[in-house]
Amino acid sequence: MSNSTDPSDYCTLDICPITEAYVYYVPSLAGNAFYLAIFTILLVFQLVLGIRYRTWGYLAGLFGGLVLEIIGYAGRLQMHYNPFRFDPYLEYLICLTIGPAFISASIYVCLGRIVVVYGEHISRLRPRTYTIVFILCDLISLLLQAAGGAITSIVDADQEDLAQAGINIMIAGLASQVASLAIFMVLCLDFAWKVRNSHQKLNPEIHMTDLRNSIRWKAFLAGLALATLTIFIRSVFRVAELQSGFHSSLANNEVAFMILEGAMIVIALLCLTILHPGICFVGQWNNTKWSFRKSRDSEMSLIPVVSDEDESQAN
């Protein structure tokens, strides 16, 4: 799939069949322009909210994800006018494949802070462990997807084995993302179950209690869950799509792509923007920031302090 064999050197829709293009359909102008506009607007909102509430880690992942979505759909818009061009196809393929990995990182950042809100002592893992482990998994997934995309983009048309190796690496990256999201959702459900059965052991700080009881907080949790689910659905779809091959019916079904890729990511990003943690944490975002020292101190604070007077009374 090298640009040395780019069909745009000699093909247009007037003289070449669509089967000579990189996808066997003409990408929708209206649909792709709509997604491009949505992601551009959401990027502006994320920048404003991120700077306003100083949610830097959350902003970093979503900024990267949204920029990649914008580039990807810009590529698809170019393909509407000429689906035989290689560069726009490459923009679409690579950017839309790796973009959600950045979005997932922002979700992972939130879980550690959620644990602090409810109480680190009722969690199986410390807040820093959730964040570090899942972001590392996300990084591995991202590197595999990017490496696979790079290999696929530079090989010549007659190097089918190398091209397939690149596709397989991309599939491995997407599969690792699916596995990470699945484990993440299981741990979230496990933590939710512990919270449900630990009402008397939750973080006793009054500002955290007020936060947990707020409607905005409950909406934030619901939005985060929906965003995670939609990214998971999208990732499963992309694994199936690549597994079937670039020339399969699934890979060339624009309706399936627009729903299971585009719509799923739009829903996720709407949840992560409308229910922004800067708003939904009710001013407590910075108070939930974990650190290695803070984790130890918070654990020590849960140990009952027995005074000499208490000991004498007990005796």
Side-chain angles (χ1 to χ4, degrees):
M1 298 179 66
S2 171
N3 54 13
S4 63
T5 59
D6 191 342
S8 66
D9 291 340
Y10 54 85
C11 269
T12 66
L13 288 169
D14 294 329
I15 63 176
C16 291
I18 194 64
T19 52
E20 293 293 323
Y22 288 102
V23 293
Y24 299 163
Y25 60 86
V26 177
S28 165
L29 177 62
N32 289 289
F34 172 77
Y35 285 149
L36 178 61
I38 287 290
F39 292 131
T40 302
I41 293 170
L42 290 177
L43 176 60
V44 172
F45 274 100
Q46 282 293 341
L47 285 170
V48 171
L49 290 168
I51 295 171
R52 165 68 178 81
Y53 293 104
R54 305 176 68 82
T55 52
W56 305 122
Y58 186 80
L59 173 62
L62 288 173
F63 178 82
L66 279 163
V67 168
L68 288 168
E69 293 292 326
I70 290 168
I71 295 173
Y73 281 99
R76 284 181 64 82
L77 277 181
Q78 294 175 68
M79 290 174 65
H80 168 81
Y81 296 101
N82 188 348
F84 303 97
R85 292 181 58 198
F86 178 74
D87 288 343
Y89 172 74
L90 196 61
E91 291 174 14
Y92 139 67
L93 176 66
I94 295 180
C95 292
L96 295 190
T97 298
I98 67 177
F102 286 86
I103 301 169
S104 298
S106 292
I107 294 176
Y108 297 150
V109 165
C110 292
L111 180 58
R113 294 176 181 267
I114 291 171
V115 169
V116 172
V117 170
Y118 285 101
E120 300 176 37
H121 56 292
I122 65 173
S123 173
R124 292 188 187 278
L125 302 175
R126 292 178 177 176
R128 65 174 181 267
T129 304
Y130 284 114
T131 303
I132 292 171
V133 168
F134 283 107
I135 286 185
L136 283 176
C137 290
D138 213 39
L139 180 60
I140 292 171
S141 168
L142 179 62
L143 291 174
L144 287 172
Q145 293 175 55
I151 292 171
T152 303
S153 69
I154 63 175
V155 299
D156 293 326
D158 58 351
Q159 297 177 292
E160 293 184 3
D161 290 344
L162 188 55
Q164 187 58 50
I167 294 170
N168 290 339
I169 293 173
M170 290 178 71
I171 293 171
L174 282 165
S176 68
Q177 185 177 1
V178 170
S180 297
L181 283 167
I183 295 171
F184 177 78
M185 289 190 291
V186 169
L187 288 174
C188 286
L189 290 172
D190 174 71
F191 182 69
W193 178 259
K194 285 181 171 294
V195 168
R196 181 182 178 85
N197 292 280
S198 305
H199 295 297
Q200 304 303 319
K201 301 177 183 178
L202 300 182
N203 190 332
E205 297 179 55
I206 186 63
H207 52 280
M208 293 302 175
T209 301
D210 292 341
L211 172 59
R212 291 195 300 266
N213 292 332
S214 69
I215 295 176
R216 278 186 285 181
W217 173 254
K218 294 172 183 177
F220 168 76
L221 295 179
L224 201 67
L226 180 57
T228 305
L229 180 60
T230 53
I231 292 175
F232 179 78
I233 292 171
R234 169 266 172 197
S235 299
V236 170
F237 163 70
R238 292 307 297 272
V239 169
E241 181 190 42
L242 287 179
Q243 187 69 51
S244 301
F246 290 126
H247 302 302
S248 67
S249 58
L250 182 60
N252 289 282
N253 186 330
E254 187 178 27
V255 173
F257 176 87
M258 298 297 273
I259 294 173
L260 296 175
E261 166 72 35
M264 292 299 103
I265 298 302
V266 166
I267 292 171
L269 287 168
L270 283 172
C271 290
L272 297 173
T273 304
I274 295 172
L275 299 169
H276 192 276
I279 299 171
C280 295
F281 269 66
V282 197
Q284 299 303 321
W285 176 260
N286 289 328
N287 292 335
T288 59
K289 182 178 180 180
W290 58 264
S291 68
F292 292 97
R293 177 62 182 272
K294 181 178 178 180
S295 294
R296 296 191 189 100
D297 291 346
S298 61
E299 288 174 356
M300 293 300 294
S301 68
L302 295 170
I303 301 175
V305 178
V306 181
S307 65
D308 294 337
E309 181 180 351
D310 293 334
E311 288 181 348
S312 63
Q313 289 178 356
N315 293 330

